[in-house]
Amino acid sequence: MRLLQYNEAINEALSEELARDEKVFLLGEGVGVSSLATTRGLVQKFGPDRVIDTPIAEAAITGCAIGAATMGYRPIADLMYSDFLYTAADDVLIRAPQWRFLHGGRQSLPIVFIAGSGGYRKVGPEHSHSPHSIMLHHPGLKVVVPSTPYDAKGLLKASIRDDNPVFYMFHKALIGMKEDIPEEEYIIPLGQAKVRREGTDVTVVAASYMNYLAIQAADKLKGEISVEVIDPRTLEPLDLDTILKSVIKTGRVVIVDEDTERCGFAGELMAQIMEHAFDELDAPIKRVCAANYPIPSGFLEKFVLPQPAQILAAIREVVK
Amino acid sequence: MRSVGIIANPGSGKDIRRLIACGSVFDNNEKANILKRVFLALDSFGIEKVVIMPDIYGIGYHALEDLDVHLSTVFLDMAVEGIQDDSTRAAQIMADMDVACIITLGGDGTNRVVAKSCGDTPLLPISTGTNNVFPLMIEGTIAGMAAGAVAALSLKGEDIAIRKPRLEIYDDTTLIDVALVDVVVSDHCFAGCRANCDETSVYEIYLTNSEPGHIGFSAVGAALTVADADRGRGMHISVGGGNERVLAPIAPGMMRWIPIRSYQILEPHKSLPIKFAPSFLSLDGEREIDIGKDEKISILLNEAGPYVVDIQKALLMARDYVNRLDKLSDLT
Amino acid sequence: MKFSKKDLIKLYTNLVRARTFDMLCTRLLAEGKFVSFYHEGAWGDAAGVGTATFLRKDDILYPHHRAHGFPHMIGKGVDPKYYLAEHCGRATGCCSGVGTVHALFEEYGILGQSAILGAQFTVSVGWGLAAKKNGTGQVVVASFGDGTLARGTWHEGANVAVLWKLPIVYVLENNGIAQYVSLEKAYPLKDMASLAAGYGMPAVVVDGQDIVAVAEAVGEAVKRARQGKGPTFVECKTIRVTSHGYGSPHMVDGEQRDMNMVEELKKREPLSMYEKNLLKQGIITKEDIEEIAKAAKEEAAAAEKFAMESPIQEDASILDQYLYAE
Ligand SMILES: Cc1ncc(C[n+]2csc(CCOP(=O)(O)OP(=O)(O)O)c2C)c(N)n1
Ligand SMILES: [Mg+2]
């Protein structure tokens, strides 16, 4: 075991997979340096043919990934900020997810789109998105949102080995988080939620940075309310069973989601819980999401993005 | 057998004349293409060595990419900064190495800075622009053949080239610069975009000759009525006022009426002081030298400027050389 | 194109002001008073100032992201304190503290900015179309970096701009680097002007460290546009001597940047080069220089005071107000 930071864990996963399978390669803007150091040092290890710096040409990056994937390669397309997926949205949201389906199920696309997401850094409406709901709205694309260094590594390795396009979104605000990581190899299969805190009064479902905030809330409420925190870890595939099991136990649910509330993942999950476990609920489900505004820059950000106090309040209210 | 020098200027073919005078952009990849053709022609003549000036754009390197030639290429071991002086230093080194001739790619400005230091090494100037007088509009393959003959037969300047005059600029008694076509004195105070196409700013024009077919301010000379015998001689023209005016192409597509106060034949080796200060000197079309109030700048015409390869003559010698080789079946 | 003594001094003054604000922003970010990031612009600021200083007030200008457009906005005549306040998240900012990196000065033809690079190529087509319809000789100037030009939007915009003969001037500030990637690793060519020439758009390369050369080239391009002759491309060769953003790694192509080379680049510092020429030409005196520097420092200090004394934007009621038009 050694203590690794979230971005170091990502880096290690990339490094191991590049070493394991020569069909894996990485491309993106400045991956040789990498702002958040997720890909730093890889070009020295694997050379510029496998760790490819690109111009600012997102469509070329994602299109290249699709083309190479159809020819047996396993590209990892680094989009830097998840906000930039919109500049290549036809590849990421239309072409890649539907490719296999519309070609009669014969041609899979083993691609990982990787990008940093999320707000809380006051960097404004074009560098703070958590655009997973729009991804989920395009069946065929898997969505991975790790909340810890351990998960970041194991899930990324699974994503790279998956034969489908996966959007792997790490959260910028989690970069400095540290955790013990085993020396030996491990993989976390996609589609397995994790119970982060066991509890009996209320289930809080939260992924990525929201999971971090949810755990803090649970710890704060210790002695007052027994909170079970569930981290879905991947939103597609979604481990509904683990969530439902918890709902049956607690009868109360709060869903925390950093994405915009309207038509978001939280609303979707609410619907699924009601479809499958309405009778188990003792209170209406509450959600804490980004308010239905663009994410403002500066000091107004806190009025839009979910805040710890809102999570606490929602939990208290749902158990009332 | 001697080697051939190559100086390709990455900066030529992109100046402001593209905006104000319908010039066309000359891409550096196209310069590399020209060089490819030069190399292929040189190679067919069995030239063994080509010496190339490195440049910040790597024109020479690009030219050699994927090119199947036997000749060996040497890049000069010099630091390049992407400034004019690169070419001047390169020409100096090539002259010291005794290359048979120097092929240049660029415009008047490129050749001007090369001519500063090439001495008696003949130049074979390929034009890569639209505003040029000195370099030749010649296909790279043909230029390569001509240069190939010069190198293979180890021809000297006096055998194969024509001596061109140059204008020398002196600060007091020190030679500070040269021009191959013209020196224009204007009331600019900044180099700015360098190209000078503003006829209203001009005080006077000095020309190495007044042959017809020029473009730029040197075309004013050709537009003046002078005796045929005087066409080949230098000229000094004062602009503005006066009764006479001439129509001249001062830049591609820019036909302008230029008012003439006076003009005279420029006698060689006679120093003429510049009377206008502060002012700016454009050398071969580009603003280069700002003259302060108290500076003593003068202009002198020197007939012993650079040698330029006589293409026709060189090609005929190339033909004979190839035929001879073929008979000896050294060449297949 | 010739400039009057007054013009030349205006260029100098604006460059000094832009430089002073760059230093101010860098300091404010280091002190935690500036919101979000700052991408320093010193040494690469002549292109922006030279581009913007002689535009008409009603000309449309899209500022380059570097130095977050201070050189361009200052050149255009905008009072920089409102953008500074914006960047500090203050209610008095030009976007009421909602945008921080974004600027809007309608009355000066600065109609908005996007932090997603490449927007200028297509948005400017809309501005160009509207300007043409307006028929008042308005011109659109879009500034951007070499990295940005790799976006596909460039091709879509350029094609249409030439096709429709729109009054647009594209000004490239080519500093040979885009974040962590060198120009060599991003293009098979060095002079981006060739990309414009391919569309039949007149293109010129100028020394972006020579503020007069930039002003002259952009001036000629603007003239063409005003005369209805369509778009032009001006490539200014400039430099970046800092890291990409304040505090980001000073690296390129996977390696630490060669600091000897950066020192070499620094020799082409545009402000001192211009200052030397102006002195030589007798256009300004040492006293003028001191006075201009002093005025710029005072302006920056006043702007800082204005920003810091302005209320932080924390009025949540504006969210609804700003979202939809009535
Ligand atoms: C579409 C898009 N991709 C990537 C980025 C991230 N990014 C911000 S600035 C920058 C580099 C820009 O380079 P260039 O255009 O050359 O301007 P410079 O910073 O060199 O002045 C990058 C990659 C972005 N903002 N938008
Ligand atoms: Mg750049």
Side-chain angles (χ1 to χ4, degrees):
Chain A
M1 288 281 187
R2 66 257 127 86
L3 217 49
L4 281 192
Q5 236 174 243
Y6 187 73
N7 54 353
E8 292 168 340
I10 292 170
N11 191 290
E12 199 168 88
L14 292 169
S15 184
E16 286 176 13
E17 291 306 299
L18 280 160
R20 182 188 60 82
D21 183 351
E22 61 172 27
K23 293 288 187 190
V24 175
F25 71 92
L26 170 73
L27 78 167
E29 293 158 24
V31 291
V33 176
S34 174
S35 304
L36 299 174
T38 47
T39 59
R40 195 170 304 163
L42 296 176
V43 68
Q44 279 80 4
K45 276 190 220 164
F46 301 100
D49 291 340
R50 300 195 56 213
V51 178
I52 307 169
D53 260 340
T54 69
I56 303 174
E58 284 79 7
I61 295 168
T62 55
C64 171
I66 292 176
T70 62
M71 291 180 68
Y73 287 87
R74 308 185 76 86
I76 304 168
D78 188 326
L79 288 168
M80 195 179 325
Y81 281 79
S82 56
D83 310 59
F84 303 156
L85 89 82
Y86 298 100
T87 64
D90 55 347
D91 279 336
V92 178
L93 300 177
I94 302 278
R95 251 182 307 281
Q98 300 181 166
W99 192 274
R100 181 185 150 85
F101 181 81
L102 66 86
H103 291 105
R106 289 212 308 282
Q107 202 167 42
S108 304
L109 295 185
I111 300 172
V112 176
F113 301 109
I114 182 168
S117 71
Y120 301 92
R121 298 172 124 220
K122 297 201 188 82
V123 291
E126 295 177 327
H127 283 69
S128 305
H129 279 215
S130 301
H132 44 260
S133 74
I134 196 174
M135 295 172 192
L136 295 171
H137 211 76
H138 293 85
L141 182 63
K142 297 190 176 182
V143 182
V144 178
V145 281
S147 69
T148 69
Y150 181 85
D151 282 10
K153 181 174 175 191
L155 289 170
L156 182 49
K157 287 173 69 96
S159 301
I160 294 169
R161 295 183 196 192
D162 200 290
D163 280 336
N164 297 288
V166 175
F167 207 114
Y168 178 96
M169 266 195 294
F170 60 90
H171 199 291
K172 301 191 289 277
L174 290 171
I175 289 296
M177 184 192 265
K178 287 189 173 139
E179 193 175 14
D180 272 330
I181 305 288
E183 304 278 353
E184 57 280 5
E185 182 171 54
Y186 66 95
I187 286 180
I188 303 174
L190 307 188
Q192 292 186 1
K194 177 143 179 120
V195 181
R196 296 261 177 223
R197 286 284 185 281
E198 293 205 26
T200 50
D201 295 339
V202 55
T203 301
V204 176
V205 183
S208 191
Y209 185 59
M210 295 303 103
N211 190 264
Y212 170 78
L213 295 183
I215 288 172
Q216 282 192 328
D219 292 348
K220 214 167 194 168
L221 292 169
K222 230 175 232 160
E224 181 188 343
I225 300 166
S226 168
V227 182
E228 177 141 306
V229 179
I230 296 185
D231 182 353
R233 305 203 285 194
T234 66
L235 305 180
E236 166 67 17
L238 179 66
D239 180 3
L240 192 61
D241 284 350
T242 301
I243 296 168
L244 290 177
K245 244 179 244 156
S246 176
V247 173
I248 291 166
K249 181 164 69 167
T250 63
R252 294 163 200 274
V253 185
V254 172
I255 304 165
V256 191
D257 185 9
E258 190 179 336
D259 202 353
T260 308
E261 181 184 82
R262 186 165 59 225
C263 295
F265 169 73
E268 168 62 26
L269 184 57
M270 273 168 114
Q272 291 197 31
I273 292 171
M274 291 205 273
E275 280 162 3
H276 294 95
F278 185 76
D279 295 338
E280 307 291 341
L281 291 172
D282 299 325
I285 301 172
K286 285 208 93 46
R287 55 181 168 166
V288 180
C289 304
N292 292 324
Y293 301 102
I295 303 160
S297 226
F299 301 95
L300 288 168
E301 194 187 56
K302 59 175 172 275
F303 296 112
V304 174
L305 293 181
Q307 299 298 311
Q310 288 172 291
I311 301 172
L312 288 174
I315 296 172
R316 287 198 173 108
E317 218 180 299
V318 87
V319 296
K320 238 198 245 159
Chain B
M1 168 135 343
R2 282 154 73 204
S3 53
V4 172
I6 294 192
I7 295 178
N9 175 7
S12 71
K14 301 176 183 74
D15 72 23
I16 189 84
R17 296 185 189 96
R18 275 26 48 186
L19 291 200
I20 51 182
C22 324
S24 48
V25 173
F26 207 101
D27 184 59
N28 284 333
N29 287 333
E30 188 45 40
K31 290 180 197 163
N33 264 341
I34 294 176
L35 272 195
K36 274 187 199 293
R37 307 197 289 266
V38 168
F39 288 145
L40 288 164
L42 288 174
D43 202 44
S44 74
F45 277 63
I47 301 301
E48 284 158 11
K49 188 169 147 196
V50 176
V51 186
I52 306 169
M53 174 183 83
D55 71 86
I56 54 166
Y57 294 114
I59 295 173
Y61 290 96
H62 285 304
L64 289 166
E65 242 166 33
D66 308 321
L67 195 68
D68 267 339
V69 285
H70 301 288
L71 52 78
S72 73
T73 49
V74 181
F75 284 89
L76 291 182
D77 182 15
M78 61 181 276
V80 287
E81 298 176 54
I83 55 173
Q84 290 185 355
D85 190 50
D86 293 346
S87 302
T88 306
R89 281 184 297 130
Q92 177 76 58
I93 300 170
M94 287 176 187
D96 293 346
M97 289 170 84
D98 196 31
V99 299
C101 65
I102 299 174
I103 297 177
T104 62
L105 268 74
D108 289 338
T110 310
N111 287 289
R112 183 178 69 78
V113 293
V114 167
K116 276 190 200 182
S117 61
C118 68
D120 285 342
T121 310
L123 303 181
L124 205 164
I126 303 176
S127 173
T128 61
T130 43
N131 195 66
N132 300 320
V133 174
F134 187 85
L136 312 163
M137 280 290 190
I138 183 177
E139 156 57 28
T141 322
I142 309 296
M145 288 167 67
V150 177
L153 300 169
S154 214
L155 300 172
K156 286 272 171 219
E158 54 265 34
D159 307 327
I160 194 65
I162 302 160
R163 243 227 214 274
K164 298 278 184 176
R166 70 182 201 181
L167 290 161
E168 298 176 344
I169 296 100
Y170 287 87
D171 182 351
D172 215 356
T173 54
T174 320
L175 176 66
I176 54 168
D177 222 318
V178 303
L180 301 177
V181 181
D182 58 13
V183 174
V184 172
V185 187
S186 70
D187 68 357
H188 285 94
C189 56
F190 274 86
C193 285
R194 299 200 158 265
N196 186 4
C197 321
D198 177 7
E199 74 279 10
T200 63
S201 69
V202 176
Y203 295 125
E204 49 181 356
I205 304 168
Y206 296 83
L207 303 178
T208 50
N209 69 71
S210 54
E211 309 279 7
H214 285 197
I215 187 134
F217 282 110
S218 62
V220 173
L224 291 166
T225 326
V226 295
D228 282 351
D230 286 336
R231 286 259 167 245
R233 306 174 64 190
M235 195 178 265
H236 172 210
I237 304 162
S238 295
V239 175
N243 304 325
E244 198 179 343
R245 60 173 202 159
V246 296
L247 182 65
I250 61 162
M254 279 179 99
M255 299 297 294
R256 293 289 183 274
W257 285 100
I258 310 292
I260 306 295
R261 180 160 350 108
S262 63
Y263 58 92
Q264 66 198 78
I265 297 302
L266 199 54
E267 298 298 339
H269 302 292
K270 206 177 131 211
S271 169
L272 289 178
I274 305 263
K275 295 184 292 277
F276 300 91
S279 62
F280 228 92
L281 291 194
S282 299
L283 309 183
D284 294 341
E286 291 182 7
R287 285 171 259 166
E288 291 289 346
I289 300 173
D290 56 333
I291 304 180
K293 261 204 161 48
D294 309 314
E295 283 176 286
K296 281 205 182 74
I297 305 291
S298 58
I299 309 269
L300 181 143
L301 177 69
N302 187 342
E303 288 159 316
Y307 276 119
V308 175
V309 172
D310 181 336
I311 299 289
Q312 304 279 333
K313 202 165 159 188
L315 288 175
L316 291 175
M317 293 176 96
R319 176 199 62 193
D320 296 342
Y321 167 70
V322 171
N323 287 343
R324 218 163 48 236
L325 277 191
D326 193 29
K327 284 209 184 82
L328 297 170
S329 19
D330 275 1
L331 212 71
T332 47
Chain C
M1 179 169 281
K2 268 187 296 193
F3 297 103
S4 67
K5 194 172 151 177
K6 209 173 121 214
D7 289 341
L8 293 168
I9 294 174
K10 188 172 179 195
L11 271 180
Y12 176 77
T13 309
N14 283 347
L15 187 54
V16 172
R17 292 169 65 211
R19 185 66 61 83
T20 311
F21 270 89
D22 185 71
M23 279 151 47
L24 172 64
C25 295
T26 309
R27 175 169 64 72
L28 288 177
L29 189 76
E31 291 173 2
K33 294 175 184 158
F34 210 66
V35 174
S36 83
F37 15 54
Y38 187 62
H39 302 94
E40 296 137 282
W43 281 274
D45 37 14
V49 174
T51 294
T53 295
F54 302 118
L55 296 179
R56 242 164 59 178
K57 194 175 173 193
D58 66 337
D59 286 338
I60 312 301
L61 174 66
Y62 188 102
H64 180 28
H65 92 93
R66 187 147 292 285
H68 299 203
F70 270 107
H72 309 73
M73 290 190 246
I74 284 174
K76 195 79 194 339
V78 167
D79 184 341
K81 77 177 181 194
Y82 298 109
Y83 184 53
L84 188 76
E86 181 62 36
H87 229 314
C88 296
R90 307 293 161 145
T92 54
C94 55
C95 301
S96 306
V98 180
T100 65
V101 292
H102 303 263
L104 180 76
F105 294 94
E106 310 86 316
E107 68 278 31
Y108 290 94
I110 291 171
L111 303 184
Q113 252 179 318
S114 169
I116 302 207
L117 303 171
Q120 54 270 68
F121 303 123
T122 45
V123 174
S124 60
V125 166
W127 290 333
L129 191 70
K132 196 173 173 179
K133 279 175 187 283
N134 289 347
T136 56
Q138 240 175 337
V139 166
V140 176
V141 177
S143 291
F144 50 91
D146 48 296
T148 306
L149 191 64
R151 282 290 318 277
T153 48
W154 150 252
H155 294 283
E156 301 193 21
N159 181 38
V160 175
V162 176
L163 193 67
W164 295 346
K165 252 186 155 191
L166 300 179
I168 304 175
V169 180
Y170 295 100
V171 184
L172 163 60
E173 300 184 16
N174 184 351
N175 60 8
I177 189 166
Q179 196 168 15
Y180 307 121
V181 181
S182 68
L183 191 84
E184 291 70 29
K185 291 276 186 288
Y187 292 95
L189 69 168
K190 289 274 177 59
D191 294 314
M192 305 297 127
S194 302
L195 295 177
Y199 283 107
M201 190 190 301
V204 54
V205 178
V206 296
D207 179 359
Q209 301 308 90
D210 181 340
I211 193 166
V212 179
V214 173
E216 192 176 349
V218 172
E220 292 294 349
V222 165
K223 197 153 85 188
R224 282 192 80 245
R226 273 206 222 297
Q227 291 168 349
K229 293 181 178 170
T232 304
F233 190 95
V234 178
E235 174 171 1
C236 309
K237 302 282 194 196
T238 181
I239 57 176
R240 196 191 91 196
V241 298
T242 58
S243 58
H244 171 60
Y246 181 84
S248 60
H250 203 169
M251 297 173 76
V252 63
D253 302 335
E255 309 284 341
Q256 287 301 324
R257 231 173 140 198
D258 177 353
M259 290 316 280
N260 289 331
M261 216 183 78
V262 172
E263 283 309 311
E264 206 45 47
L265 290 178
K266 279 188 179 171
K267 289 186 187 155
R268 310 224 358 97
E269 193 281 295
L271 181 58
S272 53
M273 291 198 304
Y274 186 42
E275 191 177 288
K276 214 169 88 196
N277 269 330
L278 288 171
L279 281 170
K280 183 174 177 196
Q281 296 284 333
I283 293 165
I284 52 171
T285 62
K286 283 233 152 54
E287 292 74 52
D288 295 335
I289 290 173
E290 272 165 33
E291 212 164 283
I292 290 166
K294 188 162 156 267
K297 280 207 186 86
E298 281 166 10
E299 182 189 24
E304 181 181 359
K305 188 160 179 283
F306 171 75
M308 289 306 135
E309 288 177 357
S310 296
I312 283 177
Q313 179 56 277
E314 289 186 301
D315 175 6
S317 74
I318 64 172
L319 295 174
D320 272 325
Q321 204 184 315
Y322 290 175
L323 192 57
Y324 292 109
E326 279 305 310

